[in-house]
Amino acid sequence: FSYPSDGPIQGAADRLADELDALRESFPGMRVDLIGHSMGGLVARAYIEGDRYAVPVEHFIPIAPPNHGSPWTRERFLLEANEQYWLWRINPDWSPIWMFTDGHGEAADDLKPDSAFLKSLNGRPRRAGVRRPATQHGRWRRAPRHGGP
């Protein structure tokens, strides 16, 4: 699943909902596991804990989600320039129009620590039945030992 990385996070969550709805039509009764890295973890969370949740998620594994925002939002222009530079270098299909179709900085607005998006997302209850790793709660927990002293 891909989404415009500089667009609104809720828009990406809605896009994920559309993709999962289409999969469910082809595979009724399907259950899925979602893994999201960084902002992708927020996209998945916004789907799981949002109003459009329809396809049962068995496991959700967020990897380093900025649940409380990111100081990198101040550097959005430099990060976007870096991303487009490397896309231009490695992707022969790159086009300057990609700079405009990737969003207009809404993701940076959503990732500000005091954003309305994060306040809303962090205020939602956890979806019952979705398993999450212990580390997702903000602290590492010691794994139980198996077969050793």
Side-chain angles (χ1 to χ4, degrees):
F1 167 74
S2 64
Y3 55 91
S5 64
D6 210 18
I9 297 174
Q10 185 59 55
D14 291 341
R15 190 173 180 158
L16 176 59
D18 292 341
E19 293 281 335
L20 290 174
D21 286 344
L23 275 173
R24 185 181 54 174
E25 286 181 25
S26 298
F27 304 98
M30 171 187 76
R31 293 188 65 86
V32 298
D33 296 329
L34 290 179
I35 300 171
H37 175 254
S38 192
M39 191 170 79
L42 297 181
V43 170
R45 245 187 89 200
Y47 167 72
I48 292 168
E49 297 169 3
D51 296 334
R52 295 202 49 205
Y53 181 79
V55 175
V57 174
E58 184 78 26
H59 297 95
F60 170 45
I61 302 171
I63 301 170
N67 289 314
H68 300 287
S70 172
W72 286 99
T73 59
R74 293 184 298 262
E75 313 299 334
R76 187 195 79 73
F77 178 77
L78 294 174
L79 293 170
E80 182 68 19
N82 182 60
E83 177 186 15
Q84 294 302 323
Y85 170 77
W86 285 106
L87 286 171
W88 167 73
R89 294 283 305 204
I90 65 173
N91 190 329
D93 297 326
W94 182 86
S95 167
I97 196 72
W98 288 13
M99 291 183 281
F100 303 102
T101 59
D102 191 32
H104 301 287
E106 298 94 335
D109 293 337
D110 288 346
L111 288 170
K112 289 179 181 171
D114 61 346
S115 74
F117 170 78
L118 286 176
K119 285 179 183 177
S120 172
L121 183 63
N122 290 329
R124 296 176 192 167
R126 298 288 171 110
R127 177 78 57 187
V130 178
R131 296 185 192 134
R132 302 165 190 248
T135 58
Q136 204 269 323
H137 300 288
R139 59 189 180 282
W140 289 93
R141 294 185 185 168
R142 184 173 297 197
R145 291 186 178 189
H146 298 286

